[in-house]
């Protein structure tokens, strides 16, 4: 099997910059995923986030999850479950406005470190977007600007725990899907695996590595690159032993951002637009009902919807 791409961000400031950029390019074109080490977020902060996330689950969410399992009779299922996931989650919004102060049951220490962690991840997301711009031959800041809309990007974190599951062959931790948004930064458990991506029609494990950040590309980057980069199907396999922690942070376009293939790429490659032009919020409304289905019909539906409506530019104020 090919080696899963692991990018040492520290090498970008050395004589190995060129080979590191090539590795990122290959990962974006052929995997849709890569793993970052030496990414600038301190080990101490990541250890604190992990500790407090696991404590919060035990204290505030574990019992609720057990009650949900009991109410739905999931312990004794005998056929595959296709309409729910074996996960316990809550969502933190960071941009354009934070809701961290409004989430109940969060200790002050947890709120504080998650706010700081989100700021570091936002900075890393924007750094990575500029590296993608460099590889694509787009001007620096192009992708951030494309995501901006009138109020800036949407940025939030889905905090998930995947408890031990008695029937992992019948219930997925998270069903297969592509991510709707822009660039996703995942801090995952390094002891309990489960995340897999689909490559060449085979499911491949995304290796759990201590203190790494897993990066994957969402549907919006596939559209902007006119298919040069692809969002990739991925899933979480529940485990019979061990609880898996997952913090997935989504750096997405603003609701009213207009997304379309970059004209520079179309000219350079002498290709026509094969992806639609749309307002991000319209895409999200479509995605919410079709998340666990193939992405291609979503793109086709947006293409048809937009063919009769001219999407105008959004003016920042």
């Amino acid at each position: 099997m090919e080696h899963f791409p692991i990018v040492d961000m520290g090498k970008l400031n050395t004589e190995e910059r060129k080979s590191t950029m090539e590795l990122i390019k290959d990962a974006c074109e052929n995997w849709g995923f890569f793993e970052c080490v030496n990414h600038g977020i301190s080990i101490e902060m990541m250890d604190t986030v992990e500790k407090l996330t696991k404590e919060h689950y035990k204290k505030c969410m574990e019992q609720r999850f057990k009650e949900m399992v009991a109410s739905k009779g999931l312990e004794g299922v005998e056929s595959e479950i296709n309409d729910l996931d074996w996960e316990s989650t809550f969502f933190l919004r960071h941009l354009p406005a934070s809701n961290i102060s409004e989430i109940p049951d969060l200790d002050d220490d947890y709120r504080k470190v998650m706010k700081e962690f989100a700021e570091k991840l936002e900075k890393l997301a924007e750094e990575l977007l500029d590296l993608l711009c460099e590889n694509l031959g787009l001007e620096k800041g192009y992708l951030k600007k494309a995501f901006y809309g009138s109020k800036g990007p949407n940025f939030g974190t889905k905090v998930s725990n995947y408890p031990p599951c008695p029937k992992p062959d019948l219930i997925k931790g998270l069903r297969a899907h592509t991510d709707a948004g822009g660039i996703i930064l995942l801090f995952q458990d390094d002891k309990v695996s489960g995340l897999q991506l689909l490559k060449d029609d085979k499911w491949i494990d995304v290796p759990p590595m201590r203190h790494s950040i897993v990066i994957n590309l969402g549907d919006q980057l596939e559209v902007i690159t006119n298919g040069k980069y692809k969002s990739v199907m991925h899933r979480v396999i529940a485990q019979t032993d061990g609880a898996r922690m997952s913090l997935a942070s989504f750096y997405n376009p603003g609701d009213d951002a207009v997304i379309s293939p970059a004209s520079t790429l179309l000219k350079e490659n002498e290709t026509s637009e094969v992806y639609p032009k749309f307002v991000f919020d319209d895409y999200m409304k479509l995605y919410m009902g079709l998340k666990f289905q193939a992405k291609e019909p979503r793109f086709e539906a947006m293409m048809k919807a937009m063919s009769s409506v001219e999407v105008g530019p959004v003016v920042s104020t």
Side-chain angles (χ1 to χ4, degrees):
M1 190 194 85
E2 296 174 80
H3 290 296
F4 187 88
I6 297 167
V7 174
D8 184 342
M9 299 282 285
K11 291 181 178 178
L12 290 166
N13 297 316
T14 72
E15 67 279 359
E16 293 184 63
R17 178 182 174 82
K18 185 179 178 184
S19 60
T20 304
M21 291 296 288
E22 281 294 324
L23 179 58
I24 294 171
K25 179 175 180 286
D26 179 71
C28 290
E29 291 180 357
N30 298 307
W31 289 79
F33 271 77
F34 56 94
E35 203 149 355
C36 281
V37 296
N38 290 329
H39 40 63
I41 301 175
S42 74
I43 287 170
E44 292 77 17
M45 177 178 284
M46 296 181 86
D47 285 345
T48 303
V49 166
E50 180 175 358
K51 175 176 175 286
L52 295 179
T53 297
K54 290 182 174 180
E55 285 177 0
H56 176 264
Y57 172 74
K58 280 280 186 192
K59 179 181 170 186
C60 303
M61 301 186 73
E62 186 174 42
Q63 187 56 36
R64 271 181 253 167
F65 184 80
K66 287 178 179 177
E67 289 168 5
M68 183 277 290
V69 168
S71 70
K72 294 183 182 294
L74 296 178
E75 293 277 4
V77 297
E78 295 181 2
S79 57
E80 191 167 359
I81 302 289
N82 292 313
D83 60 352
L84 61 80
D85 303 305
W86 187 270
E87 64 173 358
S88 171
T89 69
F90 65 96
F91 192 82
L92 299 174
R93 188 180 67 246
H94 312 305
L95 296 174
S98 173
N99 73 344
I100 289 183
S101 63
E102 300 157 26
I103 303 294
D105 304 328
L106 299 187
D107 293 339
D108 288 344
D109 287 349
Y110 192 27
R111 287 185 212 275
K112 182 172 181 286
V113 76
M114 286 303 288
K115 186 171 183 293
E116 292 170 356
F117 188 49
E119 288 168 357
K120 297 286 188 184
L121 287 168
E122 179 190 349
K123 183 180 175 186
L124 177 59
E126 293 177 351
E127 180 184 352
L128 288 164
L129 287 176
D130 275 343
L131 294 174
L132 267 54
C133 285
E134 186 177 335
N135 271 338
L136 289 162
L138 298 170
E139 65 184 46
K140 187 176 181 179
Y142 180 94
L143 290 171
K144 182 180 176 181
K145 188 176 177 183
F147 283 12
Y148 204 83
S150 63
K151 297 177 182 175
N154 281 306
F155 186 47
T157 299
K158 178 186 174 189
V159 181
S160 303
N161 283 274
Y162 298 92
C165 176
K167 302 278 182 76
D169 52 327
L170 298 178
I171 311 174
K172 294 286 183 295
L174 180 59
R175 289 161 283 167
H177 63 288
T178 65
D179 289 325
I183 190 166
I184 299 86
L185 303 91
L186 171 70
F187 175 30
Q188 68 167 343
D189 204 296
D190 66 291
K191 297 178 183 68
V192 182
S193 64
L195 179 61
Q196 296 182 329
L197 64 90
L198 190 64
K199 186 177 192 306
D200 301 326
D201 297 321
K202 292 179 183 174
W203 287 104
I204 293 173
D205 291 327
V206 177
M209 280 181 63
R210 191 145 178 78
H211 302 130
S212 72
I213 300 287
V214 177
I215 307 301
N216 74 284
L217 310 182
D219 294 350
Q220 306 311 302
L221 286 174
E222 179 165 338
V223 172
I224 291 172
T225 65
N226 205 40
K228 187 176 179 67
Y229 292 171
K230 295 280 199 305
S231 60
V232 171
M233 292 287 277
H234 53 284
R235 66 184 185 182
V236 175
I237 299 298
Q239 307 290 340
T240 52
D241 298 309
R244 176 177 176 267
M245 178 204 75
S246 159
L247 289 89
S249 296
F250 300 83
Y251 188 99
N252 291 347
D255 290 349
D256 62 357
V258 178
I259 302 300
S260 64
S263 57
T264 307
L265 295 179
L266 298 176
K267 287 173 193 167
E268 279 181 4
N269 300 316
E270 296 182 352
T271 56
S272 59
E273 282 188 30
V274 294
Y275 285 81
K277 178 180 185 179
F278 52 79
V279 174
F280 178 64
D281 193 47
D282 291 338
Y283 186 83
M284 283 305 297
K285 286 172 183 169
L286 180 70
Y287 176 86
M288 293 313 291
L290 303 170
K291 175 177 178 177
F292 299 109
Q293 297 179 28
K295 64 189 169 181
E296 289 77 14
R298 299 197 293 263
F299 294 145
E300 288 165 14
M302 293 309 298
M303 189 82 84
K304 285 176 186 171
M306 291 301 110
S307 64
S308 57
V309 181
E310 180 58 34
V311 180
V314 172
V315 179
S316 298
T317 55

XYZ file of all heavy atoms in Angstrom, residues 128-199:
551
model
N -2.478 26.999 5.340
C -2.609 25.884 4.396
C -3.292 26.321 3.106
O -2.885 25.904 2.013
C -3.393 24.739 5.054
C -2.629 23.968 6.136
C -3.592 23.130 6.978
C -1.560 23.075 5.519
N -4.304 27.169 3.203
C -4.970 27.658 1.995
C -3.991 28.410 1.102
O -4.039 28.289 -0.132
C -6.165 28.547 2.359
C -7.396 27.832 2.917
C -8.465 28.851 3.325
C -7.982 26.840 1.907
N -3.081 29.173 1.719
C -2.083 29.886 0.909
C -1.072 28.925 0.280
O -0.586 29.164 -0.836
C -1.373 30.953 1.748
C -2.159 32.264 1.780
O -3.049 32.455 0.923
O -1.891 33.095 2.666
N -0.745 27.842 0.969
C 0.135 26.830 0.372
C -0.557 26.174 -0.824
O 0.077 25.918 -1.857
C 0.515 25.767 1.409
C 1.393 26.250 2.577
C 1.562 25.144 3.607
C 2.758 26.733 2.082
N -1.864 25.940 -0.691
C -2.631 25.394 -1.818
C -2.641 26.385 -2.973
O -2.489 25.994 -4.137
C -4.058 25.058 -1.382
C -4.315 23.621 -0.906
C -3.363 23.189 0.198
C -5.769 23.448 -0.457
N -2.810 27.673 -2.671
C -2.770 28.709 -3.714
C -1.446 28.664 -4.467
O -1.410 28.735 -5.704
C -2.960 30.102 -3.092
S -4.634 30.506 -2.595
N -0.353 28.548 -3.709
C 0.978 28.513 -4.319
C 1.105 27.320 -5.269
O 1.589 27.461 -6.398
C 2.041 28.438 -3.216
C 3.466 28.542 -3.729
C 4.494 28.545 -2.601
O 4.156 28.940 -1.468
O 5.642 28.124 -2.869
N 0.646 26.171 -4.827
C 0.724 24.971 -5.676
C -0.178 25.072 -6.904
O 0.136 24.519 -7.963
C 0.351 23.721 -4.868
C 1.556 23.083 -4.180
O 2.696 23.291 -4.596
N 1.310 22.315 -3.139
N -1.286 25.777 -6.766
C -2.249 25.897 -7.867
C -1.916 27.038 -8.832
O -2.541 27.171 -9.885
C -3.661 26.125 -7.299
C -4.303 24.923 -6.596
C -5.467 25.381 -5.721
C -4.773 23.882 -7.620
N -0.940 27.872 -8.448
C -0.610 29.034 -9.288
C -1.599 30.169 -9.124
O -1.714 31.040 -9.998
N -2.313 30.181 -7.992
C -3.238 31.275 -7.692
C -2.515 32.303 -6.835
O -1.588 31.970 -6.084
C -4.454 30.740 -6.926
C -5.323 29.700 -7.653
C -6.332 29.089 -6.682
C -6.038 30.330 -8.843
N -2.952 33.554 -6.922
C -2.307 34.589 -6.114
C -2.529 34.308 -4.628
O -3.550 33.715 -4.228
C -2.864 35.977 -6.469
C -4.324 36.151 -6.137
C -4.862 37.503 -6.580
O -4.600 37.920 -7.720
O -5.557 38.123 -5.759
N -1.573 34.707 -3.804
C -1.664 34.496 -2.362
C -2.949 35.154 -1.847
O -3.257 36.281 -2.208
C -0.435 35.086 -1.662
C -0.377 34.763 -0.182
C 0.907 35.285 0.445
C 0.952 34.925 1.928
N 2.179 35.395 2.581
N -3.684 34.431 -1.008
C -4.917 34.981 -0.445
C -6.160 34.713 -1.276
O -7.267 35.047 -0.858
N -5.991 34.100 -2.465
C -7.141 33.890 -3.359
C -8.229 33.058 -2.673
O -9.416 33.416 -2.720
C -6.696 33.201 -4.652
C -7.843 32.956 -5.622
C -8.129 33.866 -6.638
C -8.674 31.832 -5.501
C -9.196 33.659 -7.505
C -9.735 31.619 -6.365
C -9.994 32.536 -7.357
O -11.057 32.342 -8.210
N -7.847 31.934 -2.063
C -8.850 31.041 -1.480
C -9.520 31.681 -0.264
O -10.739 31.560 -0.086
C -8.221 29.698 -1.110
C -7.810 28.831 -2.310
C -6.990 27.629 -1.859
C -9.047 28.367 -3.094
N -8.744 32.368 0.563
C -9.346 33.057 1.708
C -10.359 34.096 1.221
O -11.461 34.220 1.773
C -8.258 33.722 2.553
C -8.818 34.413 3.796
C -7.733 35.075 4.620
C -8.352 35.826 5.802
N -7.328 36.515 6.617
N -10.003 34.815 0.174
C -10.905 35.824 -0.387
C -12.159 35.168 -0.978
O -13.279 35.654 -0.803
C -10.171 36.624 -1.460
C -10.943 37.831 -1.983
C -10.087 38.599 -2.969
C -10.863 39.778 -3.563
N -10.053 40.480 -4.580
N -11.966 34.022 -1.654
C -13.105 33.311 -2.244
C -14.078 32.847 -1.168
O -15.297 32.787 -1.390
C -12.610 32.118 -3.053
N -13.551 32.520 0.013
C -14.379 32.041 1.114
C -15.039 33.177 1.896
O -15.926 32.922 2.703
C -13.515 31.244 2.109
C -13.158 29.850 1.672
C -13.358 29.413 0.368
C -12.606 28.960 2.572
C -13.012 28.129 -0.025
C -12.264 27.663 2.195
C -12.469 27.255 0.895
N -14.620 34.423 1.662
C -14.914 35.491 2.617
C -16.381 35.927 2.653
O -16.954 36.115 3.718
C -14.012 36.704 2.346
C -13.838 37.567 3.572
C -12.879 37.234 4.524
C -14.639 38.679 3.803
C -12.715 37.995 5.674
C -14.485 39.444 4.957
C -13.522 39.096 5.886
O -13.363 39.832 7.016
N -17.019 36.076 1.503
C -18.376 36.611 1.501
C -18.400 38.012 2.086
O -17.416 38.744 2.018
N -19.516 38.402 2.680
C -19.619 39.756 3.219
C -19.276 39.828 4.704
O -19.053 40.903 5.242
C -21.038 40.305 3.003
O -21.983 39.524 3.711
N -19.225 38.664 5.390
C -19.004 38.676 6.841
C -17.830 37.805 7.264
O -17.650 37.532 8.441
C -20.266 38.191 7.565
C -21.476 39.095 7.358
C -22.694 38.513 8.049
C -23.924 39.379 7.801
N -25.150 38.775 8.365
N -17.044 37.348 6.317
C -15.932 36.461 6.649
C -16.355 35.013 6.568
O -17.522 34.686 6.331
N -15.397 34.104 6.771
C -15.681 32.670 6.629
C -16.529 32.138 7.779
O -16.657 32.768 8.834
C -14.283 32.048 6.656
C -13.482 32.993 7.491
C -14.005 34.362 7.168
N -17.106 30.965 7.572
C -17.690 30.190 8.668
C -16.605 29.261 9.195
O -15.897 28.627 8.411
C -18.863 29.343 8.159
C -20.138 30.147 7.976
O -20.599 30.815 8.890
N -20.716 30.091 6.778
N -16.490 29.201 10.511
C -15.487 28.319 11.108
C -16.071 27.742 12.380
O -16.567 28.475 13.242
C -14.205 29.105 11.397
C -13.051 28.262 11.891
C -12.718 27.074 11.258
C -12.291 28.673 12.977
C -11.650 26.293 11.700
C -11.217 27.912 13.432
C -10.899 26.719 12.788
N -16.064 26.427 12.499
C -16.608 25.787 13.688
C -16.003 24.428 13.906
O -15.343 23.866 13.013
N -16.202 23.879 15.094
C -15.636 22.587 15.468
C -16.726 21.624 15.902
O -17.542 21.952 16.768
C -14.619 22.741 16.618
O -13.550 23.590 16.194
C -14.051 21.394 17.047
N -16.729 20.455 15.296
C -17.614 19.363 15.715
C -16.809 18.498 16.688
O -15.806 17.904 16.308
C -18.064 18.545 14.506
C -18.956 17.360 14.854
C -19.231 16.513 13.612
C -19.999 15.249 13.956
N -20.086 14.323 12.808
N -17.241 18.479 17.942
C -16.571 17.680 18.972
C -17.308 16.345 19.065
O -18.500 16.311 19.376
C -16.602 18.402 20.338
C -15.877 17.566 21.398
C -15.968 19.790 20.231
N -16.605 15.259 18.761
C -17.243 13.937 18.712
C -16.516 12.939 19.603
O -15.297 12.981 19.736
C -17.240 13.387 17.282
O -17.868 14.261 16.384
N -17.312 12.059 20.189
C -16.770 10.892 20.869
C -17.467 9.661 20.312
O -18.684 9.670 20.088
C -16.985 10.998 22.381
C -16.003 11.947 23.036
O -14.896 11.561 23.399
N -16.396 13.208 23.182
N -16.676 8.622 20.057
C -17.198 7.368 19.519
C -16.985 6.291 20.582
O -15.897 5.719 20.685
C -16.486 7.000 18.216
C -16.691 8.033 17.125
C -15.795 9.080 16.955
C -17.800 7.974 16.283
C -15.993 10.042 15.971
C -18.005 8.924 15.290
C -17.091 9.956 15.148
O -17.289 10.913 14.170
N -18.019 6.023 21.400
C -17.875 5.034 22.477
C -17.735 3.627 21.913
O -18.007 3.383 20.736
C -19.197 5.178 23.252
C -19.790 6.481 22.809
C -19.324 6.677 21.402
N -17.304 2.672 22.753
C -17.245 1.276 22.308
C -18.608 0.823 21.781
O -19.643 1.154 22.367
C -16.866 0.512 23.586
C -16.191 1.519 24.448
C -16.844 2.833 24.152
N -18.582 0.076 20.686
C -19.829 -0.322 20.013
C -19.903 -1.851 19.961
O -18.954 -2.493 19.503
C -19.854 0.264 18.603
S -21.277 -0.232 17.616
N -21.005 -2.443 20.384
C -21.097 -3.903 20.390
C -21.257 -4.520 19.000
O -20.943 -5.691 18.798
C -22.352 -4.169 21.239
C -23.182 -2.936 21.071
C -22.210 -1.805 20.948
N -21.723 -3.736 18.031
C -21.987 -4.276 16.684
C -21.399 -3.361 15.603
O -22.128 -2.798 14.793
C -23.502 -4.399 16.471
C -24.243 -5.271 17.490
C -24.154 -6.742 17.159
C -24.923 -7.609 18.150
N -26.369 -7.592 17.986
N -20.065 -3.181 15.589
C -19.465 -2.246 14.618
C -19.659 -2.671 13.166
O -19.525 -1.847 12.267
C -17.984 -2.232 15.002
C -17.756 -3.507 15.748
C -19.048 -3.807 16.445
N -19.984 -3.946 12.947
C -20.243 -4.399 11.580
C -21.626 -3.959 11.093
O -21.900 -3.946 9.891
C -20.129 -5.921 11.491
C -20.989 -6.638 12.535
O -21.159 -6.096 13.648
O -21.490 -7.739 12.230
N -22.494 -3.560 12.047
C -23.864 -3.185 11.695
C -24.150 -1.694 11.884
O -25.105 -1.168 11.316
C -24.863 -3.998 12.537
C -24.820 -5.524 12.345
C -25.827 -6.197 13.263
C -25.090 -5.898 10.884
N -23.342 -1.012 12.703
C -23.555 0.417 12.956
C -22.238 1.154 12.739
O -21.242 0.873 13.422
C -24.039 0.692 14.396
C -25.204 -0.224 14.781
C -24.446 2.163 14.543
C -25.633 -0.109 16.236
N -22.199 2.099 11.803
C -20.995 2.900 11.567
C -20.874 3.971 12.653
O -21.866 4.522 13.130
C -21.074 3.595 10.199
C -21.042 2.627 9.019
C -19.650 2.063 8.802
C -19.588 1.157 7.594
N -20.384 -0.062 7.728
N -19.621 4.294 12.997
C -19.410 5.443 13.872
C -19.918 6.690 13.164
O -20.621 7.526 13.743
N -19.553 6.829 11.881
C -20.045 7.907 11.026
C -20.087 7.372 9.600
O -19.093 6.866 9.086
C -19.121 9.129 11.113
C -19.502 10.350 10.276
C -20.896 10.872 10.643
C -18.465 11.463 10.439
N -21.270 7.461 8.985
C -21.444 6.904 7.639
C -20.595 7.651 6.603
O -20.227 8.815 6.805
C -22.933 6.991 7.250
C -23.829 6.027 8.013
C -25.290 6.460 7.941
N -25.550 7.573 8.838
C -26.657 8.321 8.812
N -27.591 8.083 7.918
N -26.809 9.316 9.681
N -20.300 6.966 5.505
C -19.439 7.518 4.459
C -20.042 8.776 3.856
O -21.248 8.843 3.575
C -19.203 6.471 3.375
N -19.180 9.796 3.638
C -19.625 11.078 3.086
C -18.408 11.869 2.627
O -17.273 11.542 2.978
C -20.378 11.881 4.152
C -19.510 12.249 5.328
N -19.090 11.326 6.269
C -18.939 13.434 5.687
C -18.325 11.930 7.161
N -18.197 13.203 6.830
N -18.628 12.904 1.835
C -17.611 13.934 1.632
C -18.041 15.146 2.449
O -19.213 15.303 2.775
C -17.462 14.344 0.151
O -18.676 14.975 -0.285
C -17.155 13.150 -0.738
N -17.086 15.995 2.799
C -17.416 17.203 3.562
C -17.818 18.321 2.612
O -17.176 18.532 1.581
C -16.223 17.625 4.419
C -15.986 16.665 5.584
O -16.975 16.142 6.131
O -14.819 16.431 5.939
N -18.859 19.050 2.991
C -19.438 20.061 2.108
C -18.554 21.284 1.954
O -18.604 21.963 0.930
C -20.807 20.498 2.641
N -17.752 21.594 2.968
C -17.136 22.906 3.043
C -15.786 23.048 2.376
O -15.532 22.498 1.303
N -14.888 23.778 3.054
C -13.616 24.159 2.454
C -12.466 23.260 2.834
O -12.154 22.283 2.160
N -11.796 23.593 3.952
C -10.670 22.781 4.419
C -10.970 22.368 5.850
O -11.461 23.164 6.649
C -9.330 23.548 4.292
C -8.149 22.607 4.548
C -9.277 24.773 5.195
C -6.804 23.194 4.121
N -10.708 21.098 6.158
C -11.075 20.531 7.457
C -9.807 20.141 8.182
O -8.895 19.530 7.605
C -12.015 19.315 7.284
C -13.324 19.725 6.595
C -12.335 18.693 8.641
C -13.297 19.743 5.099
N -9.743 20.494 9.470
C -8.575 20.217 10.301
C -9.031 19.335 11.454
O -9.891 19.743 12.254
C -7.955 21.515 10.840
C -7.541 22.549 9.783
C -8.678 23.520 9.489
C -6.315 23.331 10.239
N -8.479 18.146 11.536
C -8.944 17.151 12.500
C -7.867 16.819 13.524
O -6.761 16.411 13.165
C -9.352 15.865 11.758
C -9.663 14.650 12.639
C -10.957 14.847 13.409
C -9.721 13.381 11.800
N -8.227 16.982 14.794
C -7.392 16.496 15.888
C -8.060 15.218 16.383
O -9.129 15.262 16.982
C -7.311 17.559 16.991
C -6.568 17.133 18.233
C -5.533 16.208 18.188
C -6.900 17.695 19.461
C -4.850 15.834 19.336
C -6.218 17.325 20.625
C -5.198 16.399 20.564
N -7.443 14.062 16.080
C -8.078 12.789 16.409
C -7.297 12.032 17.468
O -6.108 12.252 17.679
C -8.257 11.933 15.157
C -6.959 11.426 14.539
C -7.177 10.335 13.507
O -8.233 9.725 13.443
N -6.165 10.081 12.687
N -8.011 11.128 18.101
C -7.431 10.257 19.113
C -6.225 9.509 18.528
O -6.283 9.027 17.400
C -8.501 9.246 19.552
C -8.249 8.698 20.939
O -7.211 8.020 21.116
O -9.069 8.947 21.832
N -5.151 9.428 19.286
C -3.972 8.729 18.758
C -3.904 7.285 19.241
O -3.018 6.534 18.840
C -2.691 9.469 19.158
C -2.455 9.439 20.654
O -3.230 10.098 21.382
O -1.524 8.766 21.102
N -4.858 6.878 20.094
C -4.839 5.507 20.613
C -5.917 4.636 19.989
O -5.735 3.436 19.822
C -5.002 5.530 22.127
C -3.854 6.235 22.858
C -4.073 6.281 24.348
C -2.958 7.053 25.043
N -2.990 8.485 24.718
N -7.061 5.221 19.655
C -8.174 4.453 19.100
C -8.397 4.897 17.657
O -8.691 6.061 17.395
C -9.471 4.659 19.918
C -10.597 3.802 19.352
C -9.224 4.314 21.385
N -8.231 3.987 16.705
C -8.384 4.339 15.297
C -9.843 4.238 14.878
O -10.722 3.961 15.702
C -7.519 3.408 14.436
O -7.995 2.083 14.568
N -10.106 4.442 13.606
C -11.476 4.324 13.109
C -11.732 5.102 11.838
O -12.592 4.735 11.042
N -10.979 6.194 11.617
C -11.192 7.009 10.419
C -10.601 6.316 9.193
O -9.454 5.859 9.220
C -10.537 8.386 10.601
C -10.642 9.350 9.418
C -12.091 9.687 9.089
C -9.847 10.637 9.701
N -11.399 6.235 8.144
C -10.956 5.634 6.884
C -11.349 6.528 5.716
O -12.373 7.217 5.762
C -11.618 4.259 6.690
C -11.233 3.229 7.725
C -11.877 1.873 7.443
O -12.964 1.790 6.899
N -11.186 0.800 7.816
N -10.520 6.508 4.653
C -10.867 7.222 3.423
C -10.921 6.218 2.278
O -10.307 5.144 2.328
C -9.866 8.341 3.132
C -8.414 7.961 2.831
C -8.209 7.731 1.332
C -7.464 9.062 3.306
N -11.663 6.592 1.248
C -11.809 5.721 0.081
C -10.806 6.146 -0.986
O -10.835 7.278 -1.464
C -13.240 5.820 -0.467
C -13.626 4.807 -1.544
C -13.589 3.384 -0.996
C -15.024 5.126 -2.082
N -9.902 5.249 -1.330
C -8.885 5.528 -2.358
C -8.788 4.331 -3.298
O -8.585 3.208 -2.831
C -7.522 5.822 -1.726
C -6.471 6.268 -2.742
C -5.162 6.627 -2.067
C -4.201 7.331 -3.006
N -3.926 6.631 -4.250
